[in-house]
Amino acid sequence: AVHAIAWGDVSTAYHSTGIPDVVVYAALPAGALPMLVLGQVAGPAARNRIVRAVLKGLAGRLPGPSAEGRSKNRSQIWAEATDAEGKSVSGRVTTLDPYDLTADSVVRIAQRLASGTVEPGAHTPSRALGPEFVRELDGVVVSEVR
C-alpha cells in the first residue's frame, strides 16, 4: 500500500523562490509511515544530549538498501506553480534512488564550494549553484509537463 503524506511547507523553497505558500506531499510505501511518525516524535527529544548519542549509535547499525536495491529505485518529483492571474506551469524531475542522488549532489556541491565560485554565506542549493544545477546530477531528467 502507498500512503500520501502532507509534510507542510518547505522552508528552502520559500528562500529559493520567494513563494510563501509551498505545500509538499509524498507517496510512500506503507512501511515508511511508522518511521515518519517516529521522526516527528523523536525530533524534539533529539535535542537532549543523551538521546542524540543513543540515536547516533543506532544510526550506524541500521542497514541501508544494497547497491542492487538502489539501482532499481527511482524518485519522481512533480511541482506546479500558479501565479496571481491563475496561469500555471508544472514539471517533473525523475532521479536516481535518493541515496545515490544525495551522494552525487554532496560531492558536486563540495567540488563547487572548493572551487571558490560560491559566495560565502548561507544559501539553498539553487541559490548557491543556480536553478540548473539539478540537471547536472547523474540520472536526473527534468521535463516540463505543461
Side-chain angles (χ1 to χ4, degrees):
V2 173
H3 294 278
I5 299 180
W7 258 302
D9 69 325
V10 177
S11 177
T12 57
Y14 169 73
H15 290 288
S16 295
T17 66
I19 299 170
D21 54 350
V22 175
V23 178
V24 175
Y25 295 90
L28 300 170
L33 189 57
M35 292 306 289
L36 287 173
V37 171
L38 178 62
Q40 292 294 315
V41 172
R47 291 185 190 107
N48 178 289
R49 183 174 47 89
I50 295 168
V51 173
R52 268 197 321 266
V54 169
L55 291 173
K56 283 182 183 179
L58 289 174
R61 295 181 185 164
L62 294 174
S66 67
E68 180 184 351
R70 290 191 321 270
S71 72
K72 295 175 185 174
N73 290 330
R74 296 282 179 266
S75 290
Q76 197 166 79
I77 302 161
W78 175 82
E80 181 177 63
T82 305
D83 67 14
E85 288 81 44
K87 294 182 211 160
S88 66
V89 63
S90 63
R92 182 175 48 238
V93 178
T94 304
T95 73
L96 301 172
D97 176 87
Y99 286 91
D100 294 328
L101 177 71
T102 299
D104 182 35
S105 62
V106 166
V107 168
R108 290 174 192 256
I109 289 169
Q111 290 170 334
R112 292 275 186 89
L113 291 173
S115 74
T117 59
V118 177
E119 291 290 321
H123 308 283
T124 63
S126 67
R127 288 282 215 194
L129 307 168
E132 299 298 315
F133 174 70
V134 70
R135 293 176 188 268
E136 298 174 25
L137 301 174
D138 292 341
V140 169
V141 177
V142 178
S143 53
E144 190 172 313
V145 177
R146 59 180 165 121

